[in-house]
Amino acid sequence: MTVPLSFGLIMAGFAGHAVFPTVYRDMETPKLYSRMVNWTYVATTFVYFGVAACGYLMFGSDTMQEVS
């Protein structure tokens, strides 16, 4: 029963890629697009590491080493 939920959680991190062309088109200065994308990935990485740290603090060494 939790397999569909796990796919949804995994795909949530990749769902934002579809808006990148729209963001590029609507930017005031499109030449800054690559800088914006790089900072977006940096921010996302920090959020993922933060969530991972919170999960480890909540469950400790009881977590499985592999998710997949």
Side-chain angles (χ1 to χ4, degrees):
M1 293 300 287
T2 59
V3 171
L5 176 65
S6 65
F7 283 124
L9 291 173
I10 292 169
M11 292 307 297
F14 300 103
H17 289 81
V19 300
F20 282 161
T22 306
V23 170
Y24 176 76
R25 187 189 67 214
D26 293 338
M27 285 181 70
E28 187 174 323
T29 42
K31 67 180 183 178
L32 297 176
Y33 177 75
S34 61
R35 180 190 282 178
M36 182 273 306
V37 170
N38 289 337
W39 280 109
T40 301
Y41 282 121
V42 167
T44 304
T45 301
F46 279 119
V47 169
Y48 281 155
F49 277 119
V51 170
C54 289
Y56 183 76
L57 291 173
M58 285 172 51
F59 299 107
S61 60
D62 292 334
T63 58
M64 295 172 49
Q65 290 188 6
E66 292 184 18
V67 176
S68 57

